[in-house]
Amino acid sequence: MTNGAKTDRASRRDDAGWITLFPPLAALPEAERGLVVGRAAPAALPAGTTVFEPHQACGAFLFVTGGSVRVFQLDQDGNEIVLYRLGPGSICILTTMALLAAERYSAFAVTETPVTAVALPGGLFDELMGRSGGFRSFVFLAHAERMADLMRVIQNVTFESIPSRLAARLLALAADRKALSITHQQLAAEIGSAREVVSRHLKSFEKRGWVSLARNRIEVRNAASLRSAAGSAKA
């Protein structure tokens, strides 16, 4: 028992560093912070792992500490639309909603890269929501921020034209790079459209000299024109 206790204390000291990615949690009173650190379980997931899927029950509150998770939904034709991504320091709005409402997941989450995370048991999540004002504030603020991201996706899909959404997304994904390693299907998922539609608009962009297309590769040739086409679309 003594050796086990020593190991547990050492493990807590080693694992406690993850909480610095979530400053509001790190600022919790010592007793509450100790509960979070002491009861949270680390997890490591390889790329391509399904984190959750529709109709699956939610049993833990996840804190992403490394890597990238894509959260997406499928339409009736099987086309994918990316809702948001989770990176280091992120929590998932769908997980929060599932735990608060005691409901099941309504979308998919898949790791895009190897991911490290920390899982807080659902029972402890409920306990902390009830007893810790700091924890509640952290959860609701993070929830509101992620909801804003989700609303931007809905706004773009509903009100922005496909060319403007496509141009904006190309610029966002390219960032400081000129070439993207991405398929037309993946790009369609990014903007909530069909692959055939995206391919048609990419061909139009190529004819105008804005991009250059190759197999699973898109090179940005005229970022200024893409920015003009993007207009008010939000990437």
PDB file of all heavy atoms in Angstrom, residues 89-120:
ATOM      1  N   GLY A  89      -5.006  22.432 -25.322  1.00  0.00           N
ATOM      2  CA  GLY A  89      -5.715  23.436 -24.553  1.00  0.00           C
ATOM      3  C   GLY A  89      -7.193  23.524 -24.872  1.00  0.00           C
ATOM      4  O   GLY A  89      -7.866  24.447 -24.413  1.00  0.00           O
ATOM      5  N   SER A  90      -7.714  22.546 -25.647  1.00  0.00           N
ATOM      6  CA  SER A  90      -9.114  22.578 -26.069  1.00  0.00           C
ATOM      7  C   SER A  90      -9.968  21.599 -25.271  1.00  0.00           C
ATOM      8  O   SER A  90      -9.496  20.582 -24.792  1.00  0.00           O
ATOM      9  CB  SER A  90      -9.237  22.214 -27.556  1.00  0.00           C
ATOM     10  OG  SER A  90      -8.596  23.146 -28.375  1.00  0.00           O
ATOM     11  N   ILE A  91     -11.254  21.943 -25.175  1.00  0.00           N
ATOM     12  CA  ILE A  91     -12.259  20.992 -24.725  1.00  0.00           C
ATOM     13  C   ILE A  91     -13.335  20.935 -25.799  1.00  0.00           C
ATOM     14  O   ILE A  91     -13.434  21.821 -26.646  1.00  0.00           O
ATOM     15  CB  ILE A  91     -12.869  21.356 -23.357  1.00  0.00           C
ATOM     16  CG1 ILE A  91     -13.680  22.652 -23.462  1.00  0.00           C
ATOM     17  CG2 ILE A  91     -11.800  21.485 -22.298  1.00  0.00           C
ATOM     18  CD1 ILE A  91     -14.511  22.937 -22.220  1.00  0.00           C
ATOM     19  N   CYS A  92     -14.155  19.895 -25.766  1.00  0.00           N
ATOM     20  CA  CYS A  92     -15.130  19.639 -26.826  1.00  0.00           C
ATOM     21  C   CYS A  92     -16.525  20.044 -26.384  1.00  0.00           C
ATOM     22  O   CYS A  92     -17.031  19.566 -25.354  1.00  0.00           O
ATOM     23  CB  CYS A  92     -15.086  18.159 -27.195  1.00  0.00           C
ATOM     24  SG  CYS A  92     -16.301  17.682 -28.436  1.00  0.00           S
ATOM     25  N   ILE A  93     -17.174  20.905 -27.176  1.00  0.00           N
ATOM     26  CA  ILE A  93     -18.515  21.372 -26.837  1.00  0.00           C
ATOM     27  C   ILE A  93     -19.519  20.220 -26.829  1.00  0.00           C
ATOM     28  O   ILE A  93     -20.439  20.183 -26.014  1.00  0.00           O
ATOM     29  CB  ILE A  93     -18.966  22.477 -27.818  1.00  0.00           C
ATOM     30  CG1 ILE A  93     -20.316  23.041 -27.391  1.00  0.00           C
ATOM     31  CG2 ILE A  93     -19.023  21.976 -29.245  1.00  0.00           C
ATOM     32  CD1 ILE A  93     -20.771  24.212 -28.236  1.00  0.00           C
ATOM     33  N   LEU A  94     -19.347  19.242 -27.726  1.00  0.00           N
ATOM     34  CA  LEU A  94     -20.283  18.122 -27.770  1.00  0.00           C
ATOM     35  C   LEU A  94     -20.149  17.239 -26.534  1.00  0.00           C
ATOM     36  O   LEU A  94     -21.141  16.694 -26.036  1.00  0.00           O
ATOM     37  CB  LEU A  94     -20.069  17.301 -29.041  1.00  0.00           C
ATOM     38  CG  LEU A  94     -20.422  18.013 -30.348  1.00  0.00           C
ATOM     39  CD1 LEU A  94     -20.179  17.098 -31.538  1.00  0.00           C
ATOM     40  CD2 LEU A  94     -21.874  18.471 -30.345  1.00  0.00           C
ATOM     41  N   THR A  95     -18.919  17.101 -26.037  1.00  0.00           N
ATOM     42  CA  THR A  95     -18.719  16.357 -24.797  1.00  0.00           C
ATOM     43  C   THR A  95     -19.382  17.082 -23.634  1.00  0.00           C
ATOM     44  O   THR A  95     -20.048  16.474 -22.794  1.00  0.00           O
ATOM     45  CB  THR A  95     -17.216  16.174 -24.516  1.00  0.00           C
ATOM     46  OG1 THR A  95     -16.641  15.387 -25.564  1.00  0.00           O
ATOM     47  CG2 THR A  95     -16.981  15.474 -23.189  1.00  0.00           C
ATOM     48  N   THR A  96     -19.200  18.395 -23.579  1.00  0.00           N
ATOM     49  CA  THR A  96     -19.825  19.192 -22.522  1.00  0.00           C
ATOM     50  C   THR A  96     -21.346  19.043 -22.557  1.00  0.00           C
ATOM     51  O   THR A  96     -21.995  18.808 -21.536  1.00  0.00           O
ATOM     52  CB  THR A  96     -19.454  20.681 -22.676  1.00  0.00           C
ATOM     53  OG1 THR A  96     -18.039  20.821 -22.728  1.00  0.00           O
ATOM     54  CG2 THR A  96     -19.990  21.495 -21.508  1.00  0.00           C
ATOM     55  N   MET A  97     -21.920  19.160 -23.756  1.00  0.00           N
ATOM     56  CA  MET A  97     -23.369  19.058 -23.893  1.00  0.00           C
ATOM     57  C   MET A  97     -23.868  17.669 -23.509  1.00  0.00           C
ATOM     58  O   MET A  97     -24.913  17.524 -22.860  1.00  0.00           O
ATOM     59  CB  MET A  97     -23.769  19.402 -25.327  1.00  0.00           C
ATOM     60  CG  MET A  97     -23.553  20.860 -25.705  1.00  0.00           C
ATOM     61  SD  MET A  97     -23.773  21.186 -27.472  1.00  0.00           S
ATOM     62  CE  MET A  97     -25.505  20.792 -27.675  1.00  0.00           C
ATOM     63  N   ALA A  98     -23.127  16.638 -23.921  1.00  0.00           N
ATOM     64  CA  ALA A  98     -23.541  15.265 -23.617  1.00  0.00           C
ATOM     65  C   ALA A  98     -23.546  15.018 -22.111  1.00  0.00           C
ATOM     66  O   ALA A  98     -24.460  14.387 -21.575  1.00  0.00           O
ATOM     67  CB  ALA A  98     -22.615  14.276 -24.322  1.00  0.00           C
ATOM     68  N   LEU A  99     -22.534  15.534 -21.413  1.00  0.00           N
ATOM     69  CA  LEU A  99     -22.468  15.326 -19.969  1.00  0.00           C
ATOM     70  C   LEU A  99     -23.519  16.156 -19.230  1.00  0.00           C
ATOM     71  O   LEU A  99     -24.178  15.661 -18.308  1.00  0.00           O
ATOM     72  CB  LEU A  99     -21.068  15.674 -19.462  1.00  0.00           C
ATOM     73  CG  LEU A  99     -19.966  14.678 -19.808  1.00  0.00           C
ATOM     74  CD1 LEU A  99     -18.604  15.243 -19.426  1.00  0.00           C
ATOM     75  CD2 LEU A  99     -20.195  13.336 -19.112  1.00  0.00           C
ATOM     76  N   LEU A 100     -23.688  17.400 -19.637  1.00  0.00           N
ATOM     77  CA  LEU A 100     -24.652  18.261 -18.946  1.00  0.00           C
ATOM     78  C   LEU A 100     -26.088  17.779 -19.140  1.00  0.00           C
ATOM     79  O   LEU A 100     -26.912  17.874 -18.224  1.00  0.00           O
ATOM     80  CB  LEU A 100     -24.522  19.702 -19.446  1.00  0.00           C
ATOM     81  CG  LEU A 100     -23.257  20.461 -19.035  1.00  0.00           C
ATOM     82  CD1 LEU A 100     -23.224  21.824 -19.699  1.00  0.00           C
ATOM     83  CD2 LEU A 100     -23.171  20.608 -17.516  1.00  0.00           C
ATOM     84  N   ALA A 101     -26.385  17.267 -20.333  1.00  0.00           N
ATOM     85  CA  ALA A 101     -27.755  16.860 -20.639  1.00  0.00           C
ATOM     86  C   ALA A 101     -27.961  15.355 -20.506  1.00  0.00           C
ATOM     87  O   ALA A 101     -29.073  14.875 -20.753  1.00  0.00           O
ATOM     88  CB  ALA A 101     -28.123  17.304 -22.044  1.00  0.00           C
ATOM     89  N   ALA A 102     -26.908  14.629 -20.124  1.00  0.00           N
ATOM     90  CA  ALA A 102     -26.989  13.163 -20.026  1.00  0.00           C
ATOM     91  C   ALA A 102     -27.493  12.568 -21.340  1.00  0.00           C
ATOM     92  O   ALA A 102     -28.349  11.680 -21.360  1.00  0.00           O
ATOM     93  CB  ALA A 102     -27.884  12.750 -18.862  1.00  0.00           C
ATOM     94  N   GLU A 103     -26.942  13.079 -22.445  1.00  0.00           N
ATOM     95  CA  GLU A 103     -27.327  12.593 -23.761  1.00  0.00           C
ATOM     96  C   GLU A 103     -26.142  11.917 -24.445  1.00  0.00           C
ATOM     97  O   GLU A 103     -25.011  11.941 -23.936  1.00  0.00           O
ATOM     98  CB  GLU A 103     -27.843  13.749 -24.628  1.00  0.00           C
ATOM     99  CG  GLU A 103     -29.130  14.369 -24.117  1.00  0.00           C
ATOM    100  CD  GLU A 103     -29.645  15.457 -25.034  1.00  0.00           C
ATOM    101  OE1 GLU A 103     -28.881  15.867 -25.940  1.00  0.00           O
ATOM    102  OE2 GLU A 103     -30.792  15.893 -24.844  1.00  0.00           O
ATOM    103  N   ARG A 104     -26.407  11.346 -25.616  1.00  0.00           N
ATOM    104  CA  ARG A 104     -25.358  10.678 -26.375  1.00  0.00           C
ATOM    105  C   ARG A 104     -24.788  11.628 -27.429  1.00  0.00           C
ATOM    106  O   ARG A 104     -25.388  12.652 -27.743  1.00  0.00           O
ATOM    107  CB  ARG A 104     -25.905   9.404 -27.030  1.00  0.00           C
ATOM    108  CG  ARG A 104     -26.327   8.356 -25.994  1.00  0.00           C
ATOM    109  CD  ARG A 104     -26.944   7.130 -26.624  1.00  0.00           C
ATOM    110  NE  ARG A 104     -27.347   6.192 -25.580  1.00  0.00           N
ATOM    111  CZ  ARG A 104     -26.583   5.212 -25.112  1.00  0.00           C
ATOM    112  NH1 ARG A 104     -25.367   5.035 -25.630  1.00  0.00           N
ATOM    113  NH2 ARG A 104     -27.008   4.407 -24.163  1.00  0.00           N
ATOM    114  N   TYR A 105     -23.634  11.267 -27.956  1.00  0.00           N
ATOM    115  CA  TYR A 105     -23.000  12.100 -28.968  1.00  0.00           C
ATOM    116  C   TYR A 105     -23.847  12.158 -30.238  1.00  0.00           C
ATOM    117  O   TYR A 105     -24.573  11.216 -30.568  1.00  0.00           O
ATOM    118  CB  TYR A 105     -21.619  11.557 -29.310  1.00  0.00           C
ATOM    119  CG  TYR A 105     -20.562  11.875 -28.282  1.00  0.00           C
ATOM    120  CD1 TYR A 105     -20.020  10.875 -27.474  1.00  0.00           C
ATOM    121  CD2 TYR A 105     -20.089  13.170 -28.138  1.00  0.00           C
ATOM    122  CE1 TYR A 105     -19.037  11.167 -26.539  1.00  0.00           C
ATOM    123  CE2 TYR A 105     -19.110  13.471 -27.207  1.00  0.00           C
ATOM    124  CZ  TYR A 105     -18.588  12.468 -26.416  1.00  0.00           C
ATOM    125  OH  TYR A 105     -17.615  12.765 -25.490  1.00  0.00           O
ATOM    126  N   SER A 106     -23.711  13.260 -30.978  1.00  0.00           N
ATOM    127  CA  SER A 106     -24.466  13.454 -32.215  1.00  0.00           C
ATOM    128  C   SER A 106     -23.554  13.669 -33.418  1.00  0.00           C
ATOM    129  O   SER A 106     -24.032  14.027 -34.498  1.00  0.00           O
ATOM    130  CB  SER A 106     -25.404  14.647 -32.069  1.00  0.00           C
ATOM    131  OG  SER A 106     -24.666  15.829 -31.764  1.00  0.00           O
ATOM    132  N   ALA A 107     -22.252  13.477 -33.247  1.00  0.00           N
ATOM    133  CA  ALA A 107     -21.308  13.681 -34.343  1.00  0.00           C
ATOM    134  C   ALA A 107     -20.120  12.739 -34.153  1.00  0.00           C
ATOM    135  O   ALA A 107     -20.086  11.931 -33.227  1.00  0.00           O
ATOM    136  CB  ALA A 107     -20.845  15.138 -34.388  1.00  0.00           C
ATOM    137  N   PHE A 108     -19.158  12.868 -35.064  1.00  0.00           N
ATOM    138  CA  PHE A 108     -17.949  12.055 -35.026  1.00  0.00           C
ATOM    139  C   PHE A 108     -16.760  12.899 -34.573  1.00  0.00           C
ATOM    140  O   PHE A 108     -16.707  14.099 -34.839  1.00  0.00           O
ATOM    141  CB  PHE A 108     -17.621  11.490 -36.412  1.00  0.00           C
ATOM    142  CG  PHE A 108     -18.641  10.563 -36.977  1.00  0.00           C
ATOM    143  CD1 PHE A 108     -19.748  11.057 -37.671  1.00  0.00           C
ATOM    144  CD2 PHE A 108     -18.515   9.184 -36.848  1.00  0.00           C
ATOM    145  CE1 PHE A 108     -20.696  10.209 -38.223  1.00  0.00           C
ATOM    146  CE2 PHE A 108     -19.449   8.323 -37.389  1.00  0.00           C
ATOM    147  CZ  PHE A 108     -20.545   8.836 -38.080  1.00  0.00           C
ATOM    148  N   ALA A 109     -15.794  12.255 -33.946  1.00  0.00           N
ATOM    149  CA  ALA A 109     -14.507  12.886 -33.655  1.00  0.00           C
ATOM    150  C   ALA A 109     -13.418  11.868 -33.952  1.00  0.00           C
ATOM    151  O   ALA A 109     -13.475  10.733 -33.448  1.00  0.00           O
ATOM    152  CB  ALA A 109     -14.426  13.345 -32.207  1.00  0.00           C
ATOM    153  N   VAL A 110     -12.456  12.266 -34.775  1.00  0.00           N
ATOM    154  CA  VAL A 110     -11.372  11.367 -35.184  1.00  0.00           C
ATOM    155  C   VAL A 110     -10.044  12.111 -35.045  1.00  0.00           C
ATOM    156  O   VAL A 110      -9.945  13.294 -35.399  1.00  0.00           O
ATOM    157  CB  VAL A 110     -11.560  10.899 -36.646  1.00  0.00           C
ATOM    158  CG1 VAL A 110     -10.368  10.070 -37.112  1.00  0.00           C
ATOM    159  CG2 VAL A 110     -12.843  10.092 -36.789  1.00  0.00           C
ATOM    160  N   THR A 111      -9.035  11.432 -34.535  1.00  0.00           N
ATOM    161  CA  THR A 111      -7.722  12.059 -34.395  1.00  0.00           C
ATOM    162  C   THR A 111      -7.079  12.207 -35.777  1.00  0.00           C
ATOM    163  O   THR A 111      -7.040  11.267 -36.559  1.00  0.00           O
ATOM    164  CB  THR A 111      -6.805  11.233 -33.486  1.00  0.00           C
ATOM    165  OG1 THR A 111      -6.672   9.909 -34.022  1.00  0.00           O
ATOM    166  CG2 THR A 111      -7.372  11.133 -32.076  1.00  0.00           C
ATOM    167  N   GLU A 112      -6.573  13.407 -36.066  1.00  0.00           N
ATOM    168  CA  GLU A 112      -5.872  13.652 -37.333  1.00  0.00           C
ATOM    169  C   GLU A 112      -4.381  13.376 -37.204  1.00  0.00           C
ATOM    170  O   GLU A 112      -3.700  13.114 -38.196  1.00  0.00           O
ATOM    171  CB  GLU A 112      -6.088  15.095 -37.775  1.00  0.00           C
ATOM    172  CG  GLU A 112      -7.526  15.422 -38.087  1.00  0.00           C
ATOM    173  CD  GLU A 112      -7.688  16.827 -38.635  1.00  0.00           C
ATOM    174  OE1 GLU A 112      -7.256  17.782 -37.967  1.00  0.00           O
ATOM    175  OE2 GLU A 112      -8.267  16.955 -39.721  1.00  0.00           O
ATOM    176  N   THR A 113      -3.874  13.468 -35.994  1.00  0.00           N
ATOM    177  CA  THR A 113      -2.474  13.219 -35.675  1.00  0.00           C
ATOM    178  C   THR A 113      -2.458  12.380 -34.395  1.00  0.00           C
ATOM    179  O   THR A 113      -3.507  12.202 -33.767  1.00  0.00           O
ATOM    180  CB  THR A 113      -1.730  14.535 -35.409  1.00  0.00           C
ATOM    181  OG1 THR A 113      -2.270  15.137 -34.214  1.00  0.00           O
ATOM    182  CG2 THR A 113      -1.876  15.517 -36.569  1.00  0.00           C
ATOM    183  N   PRO A 114      -1.307  11.889 -33.993  1.00  0.00           N
ATOM    184  CA  PRO A 114      -1.260  11.306 -32.645  1.00  0.00           C
ATOM    185  C   PRO A 114      -1.701  12.356 -31.625  1.00  0.00           C
ATOM    186  O   PRO A 114      -1.306  13.520 -31.708  1.00  0.00           O
ATOM    187  CB  PRO A 114       0.221  10.944 -32.485  1.00  0.00           C
ATOM    188  CG  PRO A 114       0.701  10.718 -33.879  1.00  0.00           C
ATOM    189  CD  PRO A 114      -0.033  11.740 -34.723  1.00  0.00           C
ATOM    190  N   VAL A 115      -2.530  11.936 -30.701  1.00  0.00           N
ATOM    191  CA  VAL A 115      -3.134  12.876 -29.750  1.00  0.00           C
ATOM    192  C   VAL A 115      -2.866  12.415 -28.326  1.00  0.00           C
ATOM    193  O   VAL A 115      -2.943  11.222 -28.014  1.00  0.00           O
ATOM    194  CB  VAL A 115      -4.663  12.981 -29.988  1.00  0.00           C
ATOM    195  CG1 VAL A 115      -5.367  13.644 -28.803  1.00  0.00           C
ATOM    196  CG2 VAL A 115      -4.945  13.770 -31.266  1.00  0.00           C
ATOM    197  N   THR A 116      -2.552  13.378 -27.479  1.00  0.00           N
ATOM    198  CA  THR A 116      -2.516  13.128 -26.041  1.00  0.00           C
ATOM    199  C   THR A 116      -3.657  13.905 -25.403  1.00  0.00           C
ATOM    200  O   THR A 116      -4.000  15.006 -25.847  1.00  0.00           O
ATOM    201  CB  THR A 116      -1.182  13.554 -25.415  1.00  0.00           C
ATOM    202  OG1 THR A 116      -0.934  14.935 -25.718  1.00  0.00           O
ATOM    203  CG2 THR A 116      -0.036  12.704 -25.951  1.00  0.00           C
ATOM    204  N   ALA A 117      -4.255  13.303 -24.403  1.00  0.00           N
ATOM    205  CA  ALA A 117      -5.400  13.930 -23.747  1.00  0.00           C
ATOM    206  C   ALA A 117      -5.466  13.457 -22.308  1.00  0.00           C
ATOM    207  O   ALA A 117      -4.743  12.548 -21.895  1.00  0.00           O
ATOM    208  CB  ALA A 117      -6.694  13.590 -24.485  1.00  0.00           C
ATOM    209  N   VAL A 118      -6.335  14.103 -21.559  1.00  0.00           N
ATOM    210  CA  VAL A 118      -6.587  13.733 -20.171  1.00  0.00           C
ATOM    211  C   VAL A 118      -8.094  13.616 -20.006  1.00  0.00           C
ATOM    212  O   VAL A 118      -8.841  14.481 -20.468  1.00  0.00           O
ATOM    213  CB  VAL A 118      -6.008  14.777 -19.198  1.00  0.00           C
ATOM    214  CG1 VAL A 118      -6.360  14.423 -17.766  1.00  0.00           C
ATOM    215  CG2 VAL A 118      -4.496  14.875 -19.347  1.00  0.00           C
ATOM    216  N   ALA A 119      -8.541  12.530 -19.393  1.00  0.00           N
ATOM    217  CA  ALA A 119      -9.975  12.268 -19.241  1.00  0.00           C
ATOM    218  C   ALA A 119     -10.387  12.392 -17.785  1.00  0.00           C
ATOM    219  O   ALA A 119      -9.800  11.750 -16.904  1.00  0.00           O
ATOM    220  CB  ALA A 119     -10.304  10.878 -19.766  1.00  0.00           C
ATOM    221  N   LEU A 120     -11.382  13.232 -17.538  1.00  0.00           N
ATOM    222  CA  LEU A 120     -11.942  13.408 -16.207  1.00  0.00           C
ATOM    223  C   LEU A 120     -13.221  12.582 -16.119  1.00  0.00           C
ATOM    224  O   LEU A 120     -14.116  12.747 -16.955  1.00  0.00           O
ATOM    225  CB  LEU A 120     -12.251  14.888 -15.971  1.00  0.00           C
ATOM    226  CG  LEU A 120     -12.455  15.367 -14.535  1.00  0.00           C
ATOM    227  CD1 LEU A 120     -11.146  15.290 -13.754  1.00  0.00           C
ATOM    228  CD2 LEU A 120     -12.989  16.795 -14.534  1.00  0.00           C
TER     229      LEU A 120
END
